[in-house]
Amino acid sequence: MLAIFFGTCFVTGLLSHYQYQPWAWLPEPASPVWLYRVTQGTHVITGIATLPLVLVKLWSVYPNLFRWPAVTSLKHAAERLSVFVLVASALVQLTTGFLNVLNWYAWPWDFVAVHRFLAYVLIGSILLHVGLKLPDIRYGLQARLPQADVLTETPWDQNPLAHSNAGEVPPPPTPALTRRGVLVAAGAGVGAVVVTSIGQTVAPLEPVGLLAVRQWNKGPQRVPVNTTAQQAGVQAVAVDQRWTLQVNGRTPFTVTLAELDDLARSEADLPITCVEGWSVGAHWRGIPLLDLVARAGGDAGSRVEVISLQQGSQFARSTVLGPQVSAALLATHLNGERLNLDHGYPLRLIAPNRAGVLNTKWLARIEVV
Ligand code: HEM
Ligand SMILES: Nc1nc2c(c(=O)[nH]1)N[C@H]1C(S)=C(S)[C@@H](COP(=O)(O)O)O[C@H]1N2
Ligand SMILES: [Mo]
């Protein structure tokens, strides 16, 4: 289970990373529109589910921590060191990831950079660990246990096999759990964290979303907000009557909001999917990005830079490439209403299969390259 969850986490994490830096020759597809919603939701859910599993694993092996002598050979020392790296990176990765999803940045370092670095350390040390344990694993899988039911279902201290084999490891002072007890405890732990956090993606589970801090009902227009207009410092400029959108390309031009409103006749159901794992479906109305790109002399093959009124934030601009150029909307309306100021009024980008962080709000300018 741990291998499956860590592996899934690693692969979906890499897919998330790819959202930031796609290769020009292999841009993100525009369909299915929910792809990133599923991969990043899976990343965060499998990551959170790994927390209780890791605790169970540590509980099952911790007596080894107190074995004497601590180191028997150079190989043994190297092995113990690799296990230390594995456990330490897993615990840091899982706790900081979990706190990040709870919207609590309780550390001074850049989450994304450290999280990515630790992902490689963690996966590398798991592979090393499994490699070193292969002889044990092979032995365990091949061993014949004539009284397997006695061995697994009887508490450790009453288990005749355990005592007869217990040359090096003394039996624990209190009876251990049965196999069924471990499975129930691990299953209950995983179930509890998954059920209480999945409400940030699966709307019907919202009422039990104790750990799902960002849900559809926690923001204007039934969509949560990441960065309010006030936090972005755009309150005044975004509502300025003189606002226009500047579109640069071979034939540059500007458009007013009134002109954009006349053009805003395309509608689409597209989720907002934050990299931090929450997502909500939403209904948008606006202008196809490609319409303005074409008017500026570009086409579906152009690279488009979308730039916000917001200053000095890494989220204040994003690049649209490949199939998303034809699929993106410049939204004026959300869920049947004029776009709320916190959702990017007067104009924002929304595109399918695209990380929320790239769906830039409060647009000022578009560059067609
Ligand atoms: C409790 C567990 C975890 C949670 C809640 C979590 C959460 C996150 C979040 C929120 C992001 C997006 C960061 C951003 O772009 O702002 C992310 C990205 C990522 N995660 Fe995790 N994660 C967890 C565990 C893991 C594990 C175990 C691995 C790998 C073994 C992993 C590998 C990655 C990678 C490679 C990325 C992409 C980083 C980048 O964009 O450069 N994560 N994770
Ligand atoms: N200009 C700007 N656009 C932005 C952001 C931002 O901070 N500034 N946050 C992004 C992030 S991280 C997300 S998840 C979405 C959230 O959109 P919402 O607040 O309308 O739900 O907006 C994105 N667009
Ligand atoms: Mo986000």
Side-chain angles (χ1 to χ4, degrees):
M1 291 279 290
L2 268 175
I4 293 169
F5 282 24
F6 273 131
T8 308
C9 234
F10 184 57
V11 172
T12 49
L14 293 181
L15 288 175
S16 180
H17 181 66
Y18 196 69
Q19 287 269 337
Y20 293 104
Q21 287 168 358
W23 296 316
W25 58 271
L26 191 63
E28 294 282 353
S31 73
V33 300
W34 42 259
L35 185 60
Y36 183 70
R37 183 179 199 184
V38 169
T39 61
Q40 192 59 4
T42 303
H43 180 76
V44 165
I45 290 296
T46 50
I48 293 175
T50 307
L51 271 167
L53 289 180
V54 163
L55 295 180
V56 170
K57 172 74 189 184
L58 291 178
W59 166 80
S60 76
V61 297
Y62 87 88
N64 290 325
L65 200 56
F66 307 106
R67 271 203 205 182
W68 202 254
V71 170
T72 54
S73 65
L74 204 60
K75 176 172 171 277
H76 188 220
E79 188 181 332
R80 293 206 93 177
L81 184 68
S82 75
V83 171
F84 172 77
V85 173
L86 167 52
V87 174
S89 58
L91 290 179
V92 173
Q93 186 80 330
L94 296 179
T95 14
T96 54
F98 183 54
L99 294 181
N100 174 300
V101 168
L102 294 179
N103 209 8
W104 185 23
Y105 293 83
W107 49 84
W109 64 80
D110 175 36
F111 173 80
V112 180
V114 172
H115 192 74
R116 181 165 80 249
F117 174 77
L118 281 183
Y120 288 109
V121 173
L122 181 50
I123 288 297
S125 57
I126 291 174
L127 290 176
L128 185 64
H129 181 58
V130 170
L132 287 169
K133 290 290 184 195
L134 264 184
D136 291 1
I137 293 170
R138 202 173 300 130
Y139 171 80
L141 292 176
Q142 285 170 354
R144 295 210 177 279
L145 299 176
Q147 299 185 52
D149 51 340
V150 178
L151 189 66
T152 50
E153 297 298 344
T154 313
W156 179 267
D157 63 338
Q158 298 157 21
N159 189 325
L161 285 183
H163 285 296
S164 62
N165 291 345
E168 327 97 63
V169 194
T174 51
L177 279 176
T178 60
R179 180 182 59 170
R180 193 162 301 146
V182 175
L183 286 178
V184 168
V190 170
V193 289
V194 167
V195 164
T196 51
S197 47
I198 205 168
Q200 63 181 354
T201 298
V202 181
L205 282 169
E206 170 265 314
V208 289
L210 197 64
L211 302 176
V213 294
R214 285 170 294 190
Q215 305 177 344
W216 62 269
N217 61 352
K218 303 221 166 115
Q221 302 177 323
R222 302 191 300 287
V223 176
V225 170
N226 187 306
T227 317
T228 60
Q230 184 181 8
Q231 287 165 339
V234 297
Q235 269 161 313
V237 277
V239 299
D240 190 324
Q241 295 295 318
R242 289 161 300 175
W243 179 88
T244 56
L245 179 73
Q246 172 73 38
V247 185
N248 291 335
R250 247 186 299 125
T251 50
F253 63 97
T254 58
V255 270
T256 63
L257 185 55
E259 288 171 302
L260 288 169
D261 275 340
D262 282 342
L263 298 169
R265 280 190 287 264
S266 293
E267 304 200 19
D269 285 309
L270 300 172
I272 276 272
T273 306
C274 183
V275 286
E276 294 175 351
W278 61 265
S279 58
V280 280
H283 185 76
W284 306 89
R285 178 144 70 87
I287 307 103
L289 175 66
L290 188 57
D291 286 4
L292 299 191
V293 167
R295 210 164 123 189
D299 58 31
S302 302
R303 182 168 62 99
V304 184
E305 300 288 336
V306 175
I307 297 141
S308 175
L309 293 167
Q310 187 184 359
Q311 301 289 319
S313 159
Q314 53 176 345
F315 307 157
R317 61 185 298 153
S318 73
T319 305
V320 193
L321 271 183
Q324 295 199 348
V325 175
S326 307
L329 273 190
L330 297 169
T332 53
H333 290 73
L334 167 56
N335 286 336
E337 294 170 14
R338 163 75 62 193
L339 200 57
N340 183 280
L341 182 56
D342 287 336
H343 286 310
Y345 174 90
L347 192 69
R348 79 171 298 165
L349 181 74
I350 182 76
N353 181 29
R354 187 171 174 87
V357 61
L358 303 175
N359 284 315
T360 312
K361 307 196 276 191
W362 313 292
L363 295 188
R365 189 156 51 89
I366 290 176
E367 305 275 350
V368 181
V369 184

Coordinates of all heavy atoms in Angstrom, one line a residue, residues 119-178:
A119 N 10.9 15.0 -2.8 CA 10.2 13.9 -3.6 C 11.3 13.0 -4.2 O 11.1 11.7 -4.1 CB 9.3 14.5 -4.7
Y120 N 12.3 13.5 -4.8 CA 13.4 12.7 -5.3 C 14.1 11.9 -4.3 O 14.5 10.8 -4.4 CB 14.3 13.5 -6.2 CG 13.7 14.0 -7.5 CD1 13.3 15.3 -7.7 CD2 13.4 13.1 -8.5 CE1 12.7 15.7 -8.9 CE2 12.8 13.5 -9.7 CZ 12.5 14.8 -9.9 OH 11.9 15.2 -11.0
V121 N 14.5 12.6 -3.2 CA 15.2 12.0 -2.0 C 14.3 10.8 -1.5 O 14.8 9.7 -1.3 CB 15.4 13.0 -0.9 CG1 16.0 12.3 0.3 CG2 16.4 14.1 -1.4
L122 N 13.0 11.1 -1.4 CA 12.1 10.0 -0.8 C 12.0 8.8 -1.7 O 12.2 7.7 -1.3 CB 10.8 10.7 -0.5 CG 9.7 9.9 0.1 CD1 10.2 9.2 1.3 CD2 8.5 10.8 0.5
I123 N 11.7 9.1 -3.0 CA 11.5 8.0 -3.9 C 12.9 7.2 -4.0 O 12.9 6.0 -4.1 CB 11.0 8.5 -5.3 CG1 9.6 8.9 -5.1 CG2 11.2 7.4 -6.3 CD1 8.6 7.8 -4.8
G124 N 14.0 8.0 -4.1 CA 15.3 7.3 -4.2 C 15.6 6.4 -3.0 O 16.0 5.3 -3.1
S125 N 15.3 6.9 -1.8 CA 15.6 6.1 -0.6 C 14.6 5.0 -0.5 O 15.0 3.9 0.1 CB 15.6 7.0 0.7 OG 14.4 7.7 0.9
I126 N 13.4 5.1 -1.0 CA 12.5 3.9 -1.0 C 13.1 2.8 -1.9 O 13.1 1.6 -1.5 CB 11.1 4.3 -1.4 CG1 10.4 5.2 -0.3 CG2 10.2 3.1 -1.7 CD1 9.1 5.7 -0.7
L127 N 13.5 3.2 -3.1 CA 14.0 2.2 -4.0 C 15.3 1.6 -3.5 O 15.4 0.3 -3.5 CB 14.4 2.9 -5.4 CG 13.2 3.4 -6.2 CD1 13.6 4.1 -7.5 CD2 12.3 2.2 -6.6
L128 N 16.1 2.4 -2.8 CA 17.3 1.8 -2.2 C 17.0 0.8 -1.1 O 17.5 -0.3 -1.0 CB 18.2 3.0 -1.6 CG 19.5 2.6 -1.0 CD1 20.4 2.0 -2.1 CD2 20.2 3.8 -0.4
H129 N 16.0 1.2 -0.3 CA 15.6 0.4 0.8 C 15.0 -0.9 0.3 O 15.4 -2.0 0.8 CB 14.5 1.2 1.6 CG 13.9 0.5 2.8 ND1 14.7 0.0 3.9 CD2 12.7 0.1 3.1 CE1 14.0 -0.6 4.8 NE2 12.7 -0.5 4.3
V130 N 14.1 -0.9 -0.7 CA 13.5 -2.1 -1.2 C 14.6 -3.0 -1.8 O 14.6 -4.2 -1.7 CB 12.4 -1.8 -2.2 CG1 11.9 -3.0 -2.9 CG2 11.2 -1.1 -1.5
G131 N 15.6 -2.3 -2.5 CA 16.7 -3.0 -3.1 C 17.5 -3.8 -2.1 O 17.7 -5.0 -2.2
L132 N 17.8 -3.1 -1.0 CA 18.6 -3.8 0.1 C 17.8 -4.9 0.8 O 18.4 -5.8 1.3 CB 19.0 -2.7 1.1 CG 20.1 -1.7 0.7 CD1 20.2 -0.6 1.7 CD2 21.4 -2.5 0.5
K133 N 16.5 -4.7 0.8 CA 15.7 -5.7 1.5 C 15.2 -6.9 0.6 O 14.5 -7.8 1.0 CB 14.4 -5.1 2.1 CG 14.8 -4.1 3.3 CD 15.2 -4.9 4.5 CE 15.4 -4.0 5.7 NZ 16.2 -4.7 6.7
L134 N 15.6 -6.8 -0.7 CA 15.1 -7.8 -1.6 C 15.4 -9.3 -1.1 O 14.5 -10.1 -1.2 CB 15.8 -7.6 -3.0 CG 14.9 -6.8 -4.0 CD1 15.6 -6.8 -5.4 CD2 13.5 -7.4 -4.1
P135 N 16.6 -9.6 -0.6 CA 16.8 -11.0 -0.1 C 15.7 -11.3 0.9 O 15.1 -12.4 0.9 CB 18.2 -10.9 0.4 CG 18.8 -9.8 -0.2 CD 17.8 -8.8 -0.5
D136 N 15.5 -10.4 1.9 CA 14.5 -10.6 2.9 C 13.1 -10.8 2.3 O 12.3 -11.7 2.7 CB 14.4 -9.5 3.9 CG 15.7 -9.4 4.8 OD1 16.6 -10.2 4.5 OD2 15.7 -8.5 5.6
I137 N 12.8 -9.9 1.3 CA 11.4 -10.0 0.7 C 11.3 -11.3 0.0 O 10.2 -12.0 0.2 CB 11.3 -8.8 -0.3 CG1 11.3 -7.5 0.5 CG2 10.0 -9.0 -1.1 CD1 11.3 -6.3 -0.4
R138 N 12.3 -11.7 -0.7 CA 12.2 -13.0 -1.5 C 12.1 -14.2 -0.5 O 11.2 -15.0 -0.6 CB 13.5 -13.2 -2.3 CG 13.3 -14.2 -3.5 CD 14.4 -14.3 -4.4 NE 14.8 -13.0 -5.0 CZ 16.0 -12.5 -5.0 NH1 17.0 -13.1 -4.4 NH2 16.3 -11.4 -5.6
Y139 N 12.8 -14.1 0.6 CA 12.8 -15.2 1.6 C 11.3 -15.2 2.2 O 10.7 -16.3 2.3 CB 13.8 -14.9 2.7 CG 13.6 -15.8 3.9 CD1 14.1 -17.1 3.9 CD2 12.9 -15.4 5.1 CE1 13.9 -18.0 5.0 CE2 12.8 -16.2 6.1 CZ 13.3 -17.5 6.1 OH 13.1 -18.3 7.1
G140 N 10.8 -14.0 2.5 CA 9.5 -13.9 3.1 C 8.4 -14.5 2.2 O 7.5 -15.2 2.7
L141 N 8.5 -14.2 0.9 CA 7.5 -14.6 0.0 C 7.6 -16.1 -0.2 O 6.6 -16.8 -0.5 CB 7.6 -13.9 -1.3 CG 7.3 -12.4 -1.3 CD1 7.5 -11.7 -2.6 CD2 5.8 -12.2 -0.8
Q142 N 8.8 -16.7 -0.1 CA 8.9 -18.1 -0.4 C 8.8 -19.0 0.8 O 8.5 -20.2 0.7 CB 10.3 -18.4 -1.0 CG 10.4 -17.9 -2.5 CD 11.8 -18.0 -3.0 OE1 12.8 -18.2 -2.2 NE2 12.0 -17.7 -4.3
A143 N 8.9 -18.4 2.0 CA 8.9 -19.2 3.2 C 7.6 -20.0 3.4 O 6.5 -19.4 3.1 CB 9.2 -18.4 4.4
R144 N 7.7 -21.2 3.8 CA 6.5 -22.0 4.1 C 6.2 -21.9 5.6 O 7.1 -22.1 6.4 CB 6.7 -23.5 3.7 CG 6.9 -23.7 2.3 CD 6.4 -25.1 1.9 NE 6.6 -25.3 0.5 CZ 5.7 -24.8 -0.4 NH1 4.6 -24.1 0.0 NH2 5.9 -25.0 -1.7
L145 N 5.0 -21.5 5.9 CA 4.6 -21.3 7.3 C 3.5 -22.3 7.6 O 2.4 -22.1 7.3 CB 4.1 -19.9 7.6 CG 5.1 -18.8 7.3 CD1 4.4 -17.4 7.5 CD2 6.3 -18.9 8.2
P146 N 3.9 -23.5 8.1 CA 2.9 -24.5 8.3 C 1.7 -24.1 9.2 O 0.6 -24.5 9.0 CB 3.7 -25.7 9.0 CG 4.9 -25.1 9.5 CD 5.2 -23.9 8.7
Q147 N 2.0 -23.2 10.2 CA 0.9 -22.8 11.1 C 0.6 -21.3 10.9 O 0.6 -20.6 11.8 CB 1.3 -23.1 12.5 CG 1.5 -24.6 12.8 CD 1.7 -24.8 14.2 OE1 0.9 -24.4 15.0 NE2 2.8 -25.5 14.5
A148 N 0.4 -20.9 9.6 CA 0.3 -19.5 9.3 C -0.8 -18.9 10.2 O -0.7 -17.7 10.6 CB 0.0 -19.3 7.9
D149 N -1.9 -19.6 10.4 CA -3.0 -19.0 11.1 C -2.6 -18.7 12.6 O -3.0 -17.7 13.2 CB -4.3 -19.9 11.1 CG -3.9 -21.4 11.4 OD1 -2.7 -21.7 11.4 OD2 -4.9 -22.1 11.8
V150 N -1.8 -19.6 13.2 CA -1.4 -19.4 14.5 C -0.5 -18.2 14.6 O -0.6 -17.4 15.5 CB -0.6 -20.7 15.0 CG1 -0.1 -20.4 16.4 CG2 -1.5 -21.9 15.0
L151 N 0.4 -18.1 13.6 CA 1.4 -17.1 13.6 C 0.7 -15.7 13.5 O 1.2 -14.7 14.1 CB 2.4 -17.3 12.4 CG 3.6 -16.4 12.4 CD1 4.5 -16.7 13.6 CD2 4.3 -16.6 11.1
T152 N -0.3 -15.6 12.6 CA -0.8 -14.2 12.4 C -2.0 -13.8 13.2 O -2.2 -12.7 13.4 CB -1.2 -14.1 10.9 OG1 -2.1 -15.3 10.6 CG2 0.0 -14.2 10.0
E153 N -2.7 -14.8 13.7 CA -4.0 -14.4 14.4 C -3.8 -14.5 15.9 O -4.7 -14.1 16.7 CB -5.1 -15.3 14.0 CG -5.5 -15.2 12.5 CD -6.0 -13.8 12.1 OE1 -6.3 -13.0 13.0 OE2 -6.0 -13.4 10.9
T154 N -2.7 -15.0 16.5 CA -2.5 -15.1 17.9 C -1.7 -14.0 18.4 O -0.7 -13.6 17.8 CB -1.8 -16.4 18.2 OG1 -2.4 -17.5 17.5 CG2 -1.9 -16.7 19.7
P155 N -2.1 -13.3 19.5 CA -1.2 -12.3 20.0 C 0.2 -12.8 20.3 O 0.4 -13.9 20.6 CB -1.9 -11.9 21.4 CG -3.3 -12.3 21.2 CD -3.3 -13.5 20.2
W156 N 1.1 -11.9 20.0 CA 2.5 -12.2 20.0 C 3.0 -13.0 21.2 O 3.7 -14.0 21.1 CB 3.3 -10.9 19.9 CG 4.8 -11.1 19.8 CD1 5.7 -11.1 20.9 CD2 5.6 -11.4 18.7 NE1 6.9 -11.3 20.5 CE2 6.9 -11.5 19.1 CE3 5.3 -11.6 17.3 CZ2 8.0 -11.7 18.2 CZ3 6.4 -11.8 16.4 CH2 7.7 -11.9 16.9
D157 N 2.6 -12.6 22.4 CA 3.2 -13.2 23.6 C 2.6 -14.6 23.9 O 3.1 -15.3 24.7 CB 3.0 -12.3 24.8 CG 1.5 -12.0 25.2 OD1 0.7 -12.2 24.3 OD2 1.2 -11.7 26.3
Q158 N 1.5 -14.9 23.2 CA 0.9 -16.3 23.4 C 1.3 -17.2 22.2 O 0.7 -18.3 22.1 CB -0.6 -16.2 23.5 CG -1.1 -15.4 24.7 CD -2.5 -14.8 24.4 OE1 -3.2 -15.4 23.6 NE2 -2.8 -13.8 25.2
N159 N 2.1 -16.7 21.4 CA 2.4 -17.4 20.1 C 3.5 -18.3 20.2 O 4.7 -17.9 20.4 CB 2.6 -16.3 19.0 CG 2.7 -16.9 17.6 OD1 3.1 -18.1 17.5 ND2 2.2 -16.2 16.7
P160 N 3.3 -19.6 20.2 CA 4.4 -20.6 20.4 C 5.5 -20.4 19.3 O 6.7 -20.5 19.6 CB 3.7 -22.0 20.3 CG 2.4 -21.7 19.6 CD 2.0 -20.3 19.9
L161 N 5.1 -20.2 18.1 CA 6.1 -20.0 17.0 C 7.0 -18.8 17.3 O 8.2 -18.9 17.1 CB 5.4 -19.8 15.7 CG 4.8 -21.1 15.1 CD1 4.2 -20.8 13.7 CD2 5.9 -22.2 15.0
A162 N 6.4 -17.7 17.7 CA 7.1 -16.5 18.0 C 8.2 -16.8 19.1 O 9.3 -16.4 18.9 CB 6.2 -15.4 18.4
H163 N 7.8 -17.5 20.1 CA 8.7 -17.7 21.2 C 9.9 -18.7 20.7 O 11.0 -18.5 21.0 CB 8.0 -18.3 22.4 CG 7.3 -17.3 23.1 ND1 7.9 -16.2 23.7 CD2 5.9 -17.1 23.3 CE1 7.0 -15.4 24.3 NE2 5.8 -15.9 24.0
S164 N 9.5 -19.7 20.0 CA 10.5 -20.7 19.6 C 11.5 -20.0 18.6 O 12.6 -20.4 18.6 CB 9.9 -21.9 19.0 OG 9.2 -21.5 17.8
N165 N 11.1 -19.0 17.8 CA 12.0 -18.4 16.9 C 12.6 -17.1 17.4 O 13.4 -16.5 16.7 CB 11.2 -18.0 15.6 CG 10.7 -19.2 14.8 OD1 11.2 -20.3 15.1 ND2 9.8 -19.0 13.9
A166 N 12.3 -16.8 18.6 CA 12.6 -15.4 19.0 C 14.0 -15.3 19.6 O 14.2 -14.6 20.6 CB 11.6 -14.9 20.1
G167 N 15.0 -15.9 18.9 CA 16.3 -15.8 19.4 C 16.8 -14.4 19.7 O 17.2 -14.1 20.8
E168 N 16.7 -13.5 18.6 CA 17.3 -12.2 18.8 C 16.3 -11.2 19.4 O 16.7 -10.3 20.1 CB 17.9 -11.6 17.5 CG 18.5 -12.6 16.5 CD 17.5 -12.9 15.5 OE1 17.1 -12.0 14.7 OE2 17.1 -14.1 15.4
V169 N 15.0 -11.3 19.0 CA 14.1 -10.3 19.4 C 13.3 -10.8 20.6 O 12.5 -11.7 20.5 CB 13.1 -10.0 18.2 CG1 12.4 -8.7 18.5 CG2 13.9 -9.9 16.9
P170 N 13.4 -10.1 21.7 CA 12.5 -10.5 22.8 C 11.1 -10.1 22.5 O 10.8 -9.1 21.8 CB 13.1 -9.6 24.0 CG 13.7 -8.5 23.4 CD 14.2 -8.9 22.0
P171 N 10.1 -10.9 23.0 CA 8.7 -10.6 22.8 C 8.4 -9.2 23.5 O 8.9 -8.9 24.5 CB 8.0 -11.7 23.4 CG 8.9 -12.4 24.3 CD 10.3 -12.1 23.8
P172 N 7.5 -8.5 22.9 CA 7.1 -7.2 23.5 C 6.4 -7.4 24.9 O 5.8 -8.4 25.1 CB 6.1 -6.6 22.5 CG 5.7 -7.7 21.7 CD 6.7 -8.7 21.7
P173 N 6.6 -6.4 25.8 CA 6.0 -6.6 27.1 C 4.5 -6.6 27.1 O 3.9 -7.2 28.0 CB 6.5 -5.4 27.9 CG 6.9 -4.4 26.8 CD 7.3 -5.2 25.6
T174 N 3.8 -6.0 26.2 CA 2.4 -6.0 26.1 C 2.0 -6.8 24.8 O 2.7 -6.8 23.9 CB 1.7 -4.6 26.0 OG1 2.4 -3.9 25.0 CG2 1.9 -3.9 27.3
P175 N 0.9 -7.5 24.8 CA 0.5 -8.3 23.7 C 0.3 -7.4 22.4 O -0.2 -6.3 22.6 CB -0.9 -8.9 24.1 CG -1.0 -8.7 25.5 CD -0.1 -7.6 25.9
A176 N 0.8 -7.9 21.3 CA 0.6 -7.1 20.1 C -0.8 -7.2 19.5 O -1.5 -8.1 19.9 CB 1.7 -7.5 19.0
L177 N -1.1 -6.4 18.6 CA -2.4 -6.5 17.9 C -2.4 -7.7 17.0 O -1.3 -8.1 16.5 CB -2.6 -5.2 16.9 CG -3.1 -3.9 17.5 CD1 -3.1 -2.9 16.4 CD2 -4.5 -4.1 18.1
T178 N -3.6 -8.2 16.7 CA -3.7 -9.3 15.7 C -3.5 -8.6 14.3 O -3.6 -7.4 14.2 CB -5.0 -9.9 15.8 OG1 -6.0 -9.0 15.5 CG2 -5.2 -10.6 17.1

